[in-house]
Amino acid sequence: MKLLKLSNGRISPALEASLQEVSLSEWRENPTAHADATALVISNDASLVDIAQDISGFDVIILEFPQFKDGRAYSQARLLRERLSYTGEIRARGGVLRDQLLFMTRCGFNAFEFDDVGAAEEALREFTFAYQPAADSAAPIWRQRLAHARAA
Amino acid sequence: MYRYDEFDATMVAERAAQFRGQVARRLSGELSEDEFKPLRLMNGLYLQLHAYMLRVAIPYGTFSSRQMRRLAHAARKYDKGYGHFTTRQNIQYNWPALVDVPDLLDDLAEVEMHAIQTSGNCIRNVTSDQYAGAAADEVEDPRPWCEIIRQWSTFHPEFSFLPRKFKIAVTASDNDRAAVRVHDIGLRLHKNEAGETGFEVIVGGGLGRTPYVGHTIRDFLPKEHLLSYLEAVLRVYNLEGRRDNMYKARIKILVNAEGADHFREMVEEEWAQVNQPGIDLPREEVDRIHDYFEAPAFETLPANSTTLEERRATNREFARWLRVNTVAHKAPGYAIVNISLKPIGGIPGDISDTQMEAVADLAEQFSFDEIRATHEQNLVLPHIRKDDLYGVWAALKAAGLATANIGLVSDIIACPGLDYCTLANTRSIPIAQRISERLADLDEQEALGELKVKISGCINACGHHHVGHIGILGVDKKGEEFYQVTLGGSAAEDASIGEIVGRGLSSGDVVDAVEKLVEFYKKERKDGERFLDVYRRLGADPFKEALYEAA
Ligand code: HEM
Ligand code: SF4
């Protein structure tokens, strides 16, 4: 499985640096035993309430899609970005399909365990605008409308 | 009516292009049917028993003549010359070929139409009162808020893979014509004591195999906070809704498992933390969207029309249609006209391309170019001058669209059932046709008064049987088709779930059963009582007896 990373709006293959993964529950049970861990794996049924402390030392958080249709990690990613102001990598693992990449990036994912760079590039280009604000920098359509109206 | 600007138009055009790519990948074999399935289901394309079915959205039921003509064109070009209006203010085409679907979507995109989020586990096409903007009894037009919800929910990145589908309905009247109490979220616009309008937020209603009437989790939400509040509800649901069992995945199961009070706390806690100013639209944008729904330029007319009264006095058939199919309008001298898609013995909700053209012509000429689709599978011309009613009636009659049975026993909701649907136990359409033929006499029907018969071919309840005054549910018993009768349901402001009254009946007996129930009602009713009122007064037992005694 390749790893793709999104940076400055461009998606490209990344060399998978070997990470030392630890799950949230293992970490919470015994942080000292996992002092060398470099990536925190948060299962998609984990609550993100009171998690600020746990994530503070990590630059990579892995969120899981046990099946592509299990969309809990979209909310988790937004919470990490918008509520916990987490700025590191959020990586999507599991049921990661081409046609979900845009939703994922909008929710704050910036790394994907996904094989096909060409398909990913295409998928991220399919829509010019977005109606609603999310965790990305896209200005929602209504903001652009207001800007137009004010400029006119 | 709302009109697309360059942003909306780009969204829909890009969606059509994206889907064209997905279909091409399927046709080339790059995608298997399994991989294609979730993609097509994000765009209203189902695989039914005999063919693909495409479901096209009519957001909150409002559309124009131009759009109706394009729907007629699509019926001719890509289907067998007809379309089917559903209970969710959508239209379905039952026979398009997969290779043609991208062209069909391009044709629709040209007139600001699409199939976005008409299926899949996302926020579905938002529905509303079919009389919105015309009804004498509304506090204000609910459609600007529907349009605001439409835009916010379209390709919502966080809520496109919910535990299950999610349906939002909005009404602005105490007479609920949008069934808001049996939706995942129902919104009722009303006035508080200070005279401001806001939303009652009702959550966790639904039909399907576990029907529930929804719970009010907020009596009064200031309008400007609608989107942030919806976002909070949806986030709680996305994170906490069950995913282990698709039959328990709807929000109604979560709300009832947590209890309405605890669910309310969960939502309020989330809402306190969401970025309200970022999500809620600024005043300017709310106003801009409201401007599209300015009332049309109604003429100043006397409340009554003398030409109308002359016609009414001399033409019994017309007079009946006026009584049954027209409704009070907020502007003096105007009326709301219902067009029944339930001709006696016909297929509920079906309409031919020529009939669509006829409706489009009438709307253009007489109804400020507006048409509505209803959740009861009918159509509405919302703004007809009383002086024009006779002419409109005559034209509808010529097109086979003047059946005077709105709200009566033959105005039946029926799901597609075994004639189309892969999940069906039984057929629904032929039962509807036979009930309608059996009780065909319109004088009799009118004398019976409001009586809502709703038929589903399986427990998924697409035909709303749970909320029928008389509900009919198709069940499979050892390979044979049987029908269970439920009584006492309602989808209106007095919402209730019907009760099963006894053993299943054969397809022959079920038509007799409806007739028996009707006879019993006639015997028991007191002044002005509807079927539902008598049922509520007497309870199930006497009806049960009437139903099974002679059988
Ligand atoms: C290919 C045909 C169809 C399939 C496979 C299908 C499937 C389903 C399923 C599985 C449910 C149950 C959902 C649940 O309880 O979670 C359902 C409910 C429903 N469907 Fe359909 N349906 C079809 C056609 C229709 C049509 C034609 C209509 C409109 C006339 C419709 C309107 C509804 C409504 C109103 C509900 C119940 C309300 C609720 O969501 O609780 N469906 N459908
Ligand atoms: S109620 Fe059952 S049979 Fe009828 S359309 Fe829905 S899924 Fe099909």
Side-chain angles (χ1 to χ4, degrees):
Chain A
M1 181 62 66
K2 275 199 197 126
L3 179 68
L4 306 183
K5 288 198 185 185
L6 181 71
S7 133
N8 296 325
R10 285 184 50 88
I11 191 133
S12 45
L15 285 182
E16 173 111 46
S18 63
L19 290 173
Q20 191 72 30
E21 296 181 12
V22 62
S23 74
L24 179 63
S25 49
E26 290 167 338
W27 173 255
R28 281 182 166 167
E29 226 160 77
N30 194 347
T32 42
H34 299 283
D36 54 348
T38 50
L40 183 66
V41 183
I42 302 180
S43 68
N44 75 351
D45 54 0
S47 158
L48 301 195
V49 178
D50 302 327
I51 208 176
Q53 195 73 49
D54 299 304
I55 63 172
S56 63
F58 288 97
D59 298 324
V60 178
I61 292 178
I62 298 172
L63 299 180
E64 300 183 304
F65 294 85
Q67 289 181 304
F68 76 86
K69 38 179 167 176
D70 186 336
R72 280 176 275 196
Y74 293 103
S75 289
Q76 290 179 315
R78 281 194 72 184
L79 289 173
L80 286 173
R81 292 279 184 235
E82 295 172 62
R83 200 157 297 167
L84 293 149
S85 305
Y86 170 77
T87 55
E89 176 177 317
I90 303 182
R91 187 182 295 186
R93 169 175 290 172
V96 179
L97 306 183
R98 173 201 188 282
D99 296 276
Q100 297 177 316
L101 294 171
L102 182 61
F103 291 142
M104 289 179 178
T105 58
R106 294 217 59 220
C107 287
F109 286 93
N110 55 0
F112 312 91
E113 294 184 355
F114 182 78
D115 275 325
D116 187 340
V117 196
E121 276 176 341
E122 221 177 71
L124 294 183
R125 273 202 311 263
E126 280 172 342
F127 288 94
T128 314
F129 305 114
Y131 276 116
Q132 60 298 92
D136 58 350
S137 58
I141 283 173
W142 57 262
R143 253 187 223 293
Q144 303 194 43
R145 283 177 180 144
L146 284 183
H148 280 222
R150 284 179 187 148
Chain B
M1 259 181 75
Y2 188 71
R3 293 302 312 265
Y4 281 11
D5 64 8
E6 77 221 72
F7 294 103
D8 303 298
T10 304
M11 281 301 243
V12 168
E14 287 177 343
R15 177 62 176 124
Q18 181 190 43
F19 195 67
R20 181 179 289 279
Q22 292 168 345
V23 170
R25 281 186 277 148
R26 171 71 192 109
L27 291 171
S28 75
E30 185 186 330
L31 294 174
S32 67
E33 176 54 33
D34 268 1
E35 291 166 320
F36 181 55
K37 185 175 171 188
L39 302 178
R40 62 171 168 77
L41 283 184
M42 296 288 289
N43 208 32
L45 191 63
Y46 286 78
L47 194 51
Q48 299 198 118
L49 279 178
H50 314 289
Y52 281 104
M53 174 270 274
L54 182 73
R55 187 180 283 166
V56 176
I58 300 170
Y60 39 92
T62 294
F63 58 130
S64 68
S65 305
R66 178 160 177 254
Q67 291 174 320
M68 181 65 117
R69 290 197 182 103
R70 192 56 63 94
L71 293 176
H73 153 88
R76 269 190 303 273
K77 185 158 171 202
Y78 304 106
D79 203 300
K80 299 183 177 178
Y82 66 96
H84 175 76
F85 281 96
T86 79
T87 55
R88 301 212 67 263
Q89 298 179 318
N90 294 316
I91 183 170
Q92 296 186 169
Y93 292 107
N94 283 314
W95 308 99
L98 181 57
V99 297
D100 288 338
V101 171
D103 291 340
L104 202 176
L105 290 172
D106 281 347
D107 289 356
L108 293 178
E110 281 176 15
V111 297
E112 308 179 4
M113 298 191 96
H114 58 77
I116 295 166
Q117 289 170 212
T118 56
S119 54
N121 293 337
C122 51
I123 302 170
R124 299 286 189 88
N125 181 36
V126 54
T127 54
S128 189
D129 184 345
Q130 65 271 21
Y131 302 155
D137 59 8
E138 74 185 8
V139 292
E140 62 178 59
D141 189 340
R143 292 173 301 160
W145 295 102
C146 295
E147 175 58 26
I148 286 168
I149 296 170
R150 181 191 76 81
Q151 296 191 18
W152 164 78
S153 63
T154 297
F155 309 135
H156 198 296
E158 185 180 347
F159 306 134
S160 290
F161 294 89
L162 296 166
R164 201 73 180 87
K165 56 183 156 184
F166 203 92
K167 302 175 180 176
I168 303 177
V170 190
T171 184
S173 164
D174 290 338
N175 300 307
D176 178 8
R177 289 171 289 260
V180 298
R181 287 176 200 283
V182 288
H183 278 76
D184 296 286
I185 293 182
L187 298 167
R188 185 176 70 89
L189 268 171
H190 65 112
K191 278 201 164 67
N192 67 6
E193 278 158 16
E196 303 147 342
T197 48
F199 292 100
E200 178 188 359
V201 181
I202 302 155
V203 174
L207 303 174
R209 64 187 62 214
T210 31
Y212 283 112
V213 173
H215 298 275
T216 298
I217 59 165
R218 256 215 172 227
D219 285 323
F220 192 85
L221 176 73
K223 287 188 290 192
E224 60 272 24
H225 293 309
L226 178 64
L227 293 186
S228 60
Y229 200 82
L230 291 179
E231 188 136 326
V233 175
L234 265 295
R235 180 167 296 148
V236 168
Y237 171 55
N238 191 41
L239 286 169
E240 305 298 333
R242 284 182 63 172
R243 301 206 182 232
D244 58 324
N245 178 342
M246 79 172 233
Y247 299 121
K248 300 197 170 357
R250 296 289 287 271
I251 196 174
K252 62 193 173 188
I253 304 291
L254 178 64
V255 171
N256 285 282
E258 299 291 337
D261 289 331
H262 185 230
F263 185 80
R264 170 188 304 118
E265 284 164 24
M266 293 160 78
V267 170
E268 294 283 330
E269 195 182 317
E270 178 57 36
W271 188 47
Q273 297 177 76
V274 300
N275 172 15
Q276 295 180 16
I279 300 166
D280 289 324
L281 297 183
R283 192 54 200 258
E284 269 172 279
E285 175 67 357
V286 172
D287 289 347
R288 193 189 71 86
I289 289 180
H290 273 78
D291 287 346
Y292 285 105
F293 296 91
E294 275 289 292
F298 296 124
E299 294 166 46
T300 313
L301 297 173
N304 292 315
S305 150
T306 41
T307 54
L308 171 66
E309 294 314 322
E310 280 165 28
R311 294 289 193 178
R312 188 204 299 271
T314 53
N315 185 327
R316 275 196 66 224
E317 197 184 348
F318 175 59
R320 182 213 315 279
W321 178 85
L322 282 177
R323 278 194 309 276
V324 177
N325 284 27
T326 67
V327 176
H329 195 284
K330 62 164 80 162
Y334 285 82
I336 299 171
V337 165
N338 282 286
I339 300 173
S340 168
L341 299 184
K342 319 287 176 65
I344 301 304
I347 297 176
D350 271 15
I351 182 169
S352 71
D353 60 329
T354 46
Q355 288 177 318
M356 290 189 228
E357 301 278 0
V359 173
D361 291 346
L362 289 172
E364 182 171 43
Q365 224 185 322
F366 300 108
S367 188
F368 295 94
D369 212 24
E370 265 191 52
I371 308 164
R372 307 293 175 81
T374 86
H375 90 267
E376 299 194 305
Q377 304 184 277
N378 293 313
L379 296 173
V380 168
L381 295 172
H383 314 295
I384 303 290
R385 286 187 349 172
K386 287 185 176 172
D387 291 342
D388 294 329
L389 281 171
Y390 184 81
V392 167
W393 171 74
L396 287 173
K397 189 167 146 70
L401 291 169
T403 312
N405 63 347
I406 295 295
L408 304 183
V409 65
S410 60
D411 184 7
I412 299 171
I413 292 182
C415 80
L418 202 50
D419 291 290
Y420 296 100
C421 176
T422 48
L423 305 177
N425 289 326
T426 63
R427 302 206 292 167
S428 309
I429 293 168
I431 302 295
Q433 290 173 307
R434 281 170 37 224
I435 292 172
S436 146
E437 277 162 359
R438 177 75 66 89
L439 299 165
D441 187 279
L442 286 173
D443 288 327
E444 271 289 313
Q445 290 192 31
E446 204 186 341
L448 287 175
E450 184 184 280
L451 211 179
K452 307 218 168 186
V453 178
K454 309 191 190 217
I455 309 173
S456 307
C458 81
I459 193 60
N460 287 321
C462 304
H464 290 196
H465 68 274
H466 295 301
V467 289
H469 299 177
I470 298 177
I472 296 172
L473 161 65
V475 290
D476 176 278
K477 264 205 275 181
K478 301 195 188 92
E480 254 191 278
E481 296 182 30
F482 271 89
Y483 296 86
Q484 204 125 53
V485 175
T486 63
L487 294 177
S490 167
E493 59 285 353
D494 58 353
S496 58
I497 304 296
E499 301 163 271
I500 296 177
V501 291
R503 72 188 143 75
L505 301 167
S506 71
S507 66
D509 289 345
V510 75
V511 180
D512 296 339
V514 172
E515 198 172 18
K516 282 183 199 163
L517 290 166
V518 161
E519 287 306 319
F520 179 71
Y521 155 69
K522 280 194 336 208
K523 219 167 65 201
E524 296 296 327
R525 73 172 153 194
K526 296 181 184 156
D527 33 58
E529 274 185 324
R530 299 170 303 164
F531 181 91
L532 183 62
D533 302 323
V534 173
Y535 180 81
R536 286 179 173 169
R537 175 165 59 79
L538 295 179
D541 287 342
F543 279 88
K544 234 182 252 186
E545 250 167 63
L547 188 52
Y548 291 103
E549 64 181 335

